[in-house]
Amino acid sequence: MRIFAGLELPDGARAEAARLAEAARARMPGRYVRPENYHVTLAYIGEADVATCAAAADALREAARALRGRQVCCALAQARYFKRREHAILYCAVRPEPGVACAAQAVRASLAARGVPFDPAPFVPHVTLARGVCVDEAALAHLTPPPEERRIGGLTLFESARVDGELRYTPILRAMLEEGAP
């Protein structure tokens, strides 16, 4: 199975990202992500066997314990793109809040301590909106959400799989950040 560690978006942030994606779709065709798949990736692990999945789950629980008492908030920012303008990955940036960066650092350190391999690329907090987009710079300039912070409840281990031909990211473990949570 293919897995990754991430942050699930609170409902308000998910709705705002979906609003931005719909506004973009009107001027920039591409393969748009289903809103239920919106998330912030903290560490991409990739193909994993049962033992690696168990170690990754333990790593997320440990990272969540280390983060308790810290507020982890997510605030969406300007829409941007990766790669070439003609065939881009359109995303909504996530403001570099200290809590989000600490969550990524805690998860990556805990995975590394358990020997769970993950993509070492630098952490760039974002929510992917679409792939294969031909970017319209004028339209992109208007894709800015309100700067509203929303609290993140926990760290999530996701499975990435095709279901009926559609890519779906399914939570397989949620490690809560609040006191008294498992």
Side-chain angles (χ1 to χ4, degrees), residues 8-179:
E8 292 180 74
L9 293 184
D11 290 341
R14 183 179 309 280
E16 188 58 37
R19 186 191 68 73
L20 290 176
E22 282 308 306
R25 187 188 311 258
R27 302 253 320 256
M28 295 183 271
R31 295 182 321 278
Y32 280 78
V33 174
R34 297 163 13 127
E36 12 341 327
N37 280 350
Y38 292 163
H39 67 278
V40 176
T41 300
L42 300 174
Y44 178 75
I45 299 163
E47 288 298 325
D49 58 19
V50 172
T52 302
C53 286
D58 287 343
L60 259 66
R61 287 186 196 99
E62 178 183 307
R65 281 191 296 274
L67 291 166
R68 286 194 180 141
R70 273 198 115 101
Q71 193 167 20
V72 178
C73 292
C74 176
L76 300 179
Q78 178 70 40
R80 299 181 182 147
Y81 64 95
F82 294 123
K83 300 189 178 184
R84 298 183 324 268
R85 193 178 66 77
E86 299 80 28
H87 193 73
I89 296 172
L90 180 67
Y91 70 92
C92 187
V94 172
R95 284 194 323 195
E97 302 293 337
V100 172
C102 286
Q105 184 178 16
V107 166
R108 288 169 175 230
S110 191
L111 289 168
R114 286 175 169 68
V116 176
F118 60 91
D119 183 347
F123 176 60
V124 178
H126 69 280
V127 177
T128 300
L129 302 176
R131 293 176 179 82
V133 173
C134 184
V135 174
D136 176 331
E137 297 280 355
L140 189 66
H142 296 288
L143 297 177
T144 305
E148 186 175 336
E149 283 188 359
R150 293 178 172 91
R151 192 167 184 158
I152 300 293
L155 308 175
T156 304
L157 186 62
F158 290 92
E159 177 184 10
S160 172
R162 291 225 171 256
V163 178
D164 298 328
E166 288 189 26
L167 188 59
R168 293 197 188 169
Y169 303 140
T170 305
I172 56 177
L173 171 92
R174 289 183 174 106
M176 304 313 290
L177 297 175
E178 295 151 11
E179 292 295 329

